[in-house]
Amino acid sequence: MADTSAIIDRLRRVVGDRVIVDTDRMASYTTDWTGRFRGTTVAVVRPGTTAEVAGVVRACRELGVALVPQGGNTGLVGGGVPLHGEVVLTLQGMRSLSPVDGTAGQVTAEAGVTLAAVQQAARSAGWEYGVDLASRDSATVGGMVATNAGGTRVLRHGDTRAQVLGVEAVLGTGAVLSHLGGLIKDNTGYHLPGLFCGSEGTLAVVTAARLRLVPALPERTVAVLAFATVTDAVAASVLFRRSLTTLDAAELFLAPGLDLVCSVTGLPAPFDRRYPAYLLVEAADRSDPTGALAEVTGSVGGVLDVAVATGAHRRAELWRYREAHTEAINTLGPPHKLDVTLPLGSLAAFIDDIPGTVRSVSASARTWLFGHIGDGNVHVNVTGVAPDDERVDGAVLHRVAAAGGSISAEHGIGAAKRRWLTLSRSAEEIHAFGAVKRALDPDGILNPHVLLPEQAGAR
Ligand code: 2HG
Ligand code: ZN
């Protein structure tokens, strides 16, 4: 492998002075958002065009140096930081957004465009973007494609994969693929956007995406319902999904998480009393959906209390109880994040049992549970465990697999769950993953230490 100064010189030949080598300036690129995953690198390189990205990839290939593509660095599985000394390729310098095509309902965004910017552009053109998540101001299109980000609207509009009509991307060879025409029907072979969604930077560096927009539904109502048990909250979410055609989101949080959010943010509690489980539902339509939401709420069993919001300000306040969980939990130290899905029939029992599973492995650990209940997706957060102590992770993920769930719902595998991929994927599937990886990245330079087990991705 080339020495540090040869790497920096070579990268400078591609992008000029957009190579960061100062340790202080590199710090925000080498540590993940949670603080659990801390790496080091010789350089952070910030290309401004797809041609420059291709130049960086080719340079790294020639030098035999691995690279980690990075977007907004909001990932939660250690998949975007240089844990093995990789060069960091930040896409933050690629922030162009095309005008919205109002006829097709589409927009093309470069990889560094934030989710909030896509949402804003869509709204100003009378459309909406179908994906939303709490880190919208920092999360970028490239990162969302790479992780196949989900968020709070999946039950209505699907995940990122369902929005991506085309991509521009640089393979591990330095070859550029560009297919951004946005045709809805295009049955001309392998669906590379689908393949790159969720590939975590291991197959290609995505530099732009053609995104499908959805019709704007400006009238919104949010309700938080309180329950005595998780079982009641899950049953209610099923009823909402079945009966409320305007349902946009169905989210779960529990009493300990709400207490923490209120103490960290200073928000007042939503109810005079404390209840064990809460379901947040949002309905969205062209006309006021409050009546339909109230009607379904009236038929839900076990509702102990309800808070309703129609105005934007109060709606945002109710959402904050759910969305602020991530930042509130981080104040307790770097958490272990176990984003999992369960079959809906096993979800309530899983949520009830998992704190005991965690305690049996680590007496000092605390478990925080919340998530996108409409998708069967629970975010198991565990605090009070050393960053490199993976016993809790193993216990939780084995329990998920035994219940027929997936070890990653929407955050990806990254470095954090790599050793457990076999719980969700067969040897044959992992072998096929490795074959695809070697075909598109023959020298194994694109994010080689995430997702695939060590052997599977090897040249
Ligand atoms: C969310 O749903 C994000 O808020 C983050 O996926 C989840 O912090 C987490 O575990
Ligand atoms: Zn989530």
Side-chain angles (χ1 to χ4, degrees), residues 133 150-152 251 322 339 370-372 377 379 410-411:
L133 37 84
T152 54
E251 300 282 316
R322 159 62 184 85
D339 150 54
F370 58 100
H372 316 290
N377 179 184
H379 294 308
E410 58 171 11
H411 295 172

Side-chain angles (χ1 to χ4, degrees), residues 131-345:
V131 173
D132 192 21
L133 37 84
S135 56
R136 57 188 73 80
D137 292 324
S138 314
T140 58
V141 166
M144 292 180 68
V145 170
T147 54
N148 186 28
T152 54
R153 314 283 175 199
V154 172
L155 58 76
R156 190 159 200 176
H157 300 299
D159 53 19
T160 297
R161 189 176 277 129
Q163 326 302 324
V164 178
L165 293 165
V167 290
E168 183 164 275
V170 178
L171 303 182
T173 55
V176 176
L177 309 184
S178 189
H179 200 81
L180 295 169
L183 297 175
I184 305 286
K185 289 190 153 181
D186 189 3
N187 251 353
T188 51
Y190 302 133
H191 192 248
L192 296 174
L195 181 63
F196 294 157
C197 282
S199 64
E200 304 187 20
T202 61
L203 302 180
V205 182
V206 172
T207 54
R210 182 72 174 173
L211 302 172
R212 168 205 308 279
L213 305 177
V214 297
L217 300 171
E219 299 293 325
R220 292 180 173 269
T221 304
V222 175
V224 174
L225 283 59
F227 296 92
T229 65
V230 173
T231 303
D232 285 349
V234 172
S237 75
V238 174
L239 189 69
F240 275 107
R241 280 179 35 246
R242 201 174 62 219
S243 313
L244 189 63
T245 52
T246 56
L247 186 66
D248 225 45
E251 300 282 316
L252 177 83
F253 51 93
L254 306 181
L258 178 62
D259 293 345
L260 181 67
V261 163
C262 291
S263 84
V264 169
T265 61
L267 284 173
F271 302 110
D272 295 340
R273 284 188 46 201
R274 187 175 186 270
Y275 300 101
Y278 301 90
L279 174 69
L280 180 153
V281 284
E282 176 158 5
D285 205 351
R286 289 193 179 284
S287 55
D288 185 1
T290 310
L293 179 62
E295 195 182 320
V296 179
T297 303
S299 65
V300 171
V303 180
L304 302 179
D305 219 331
V306 187
V308 181
T310 49
H313 183 73
R314 181 67 185 138
R315 285 200 321 261
E317 280 181 354
L318 293 185
W319 265 108
R320 203 79 183 108
Y321 293 121
R322 159 62 184 85
E323 289 198 330
H325 271 66
T326 303
E327 67 197 64
I329 290 165
N330 238 60
T331 63
L332 305 176
H336 287 234
K337 299 237 172 229
L338 300 158
D339 150 54
V340 299
T341 24
L342 279 296
L344 276 169

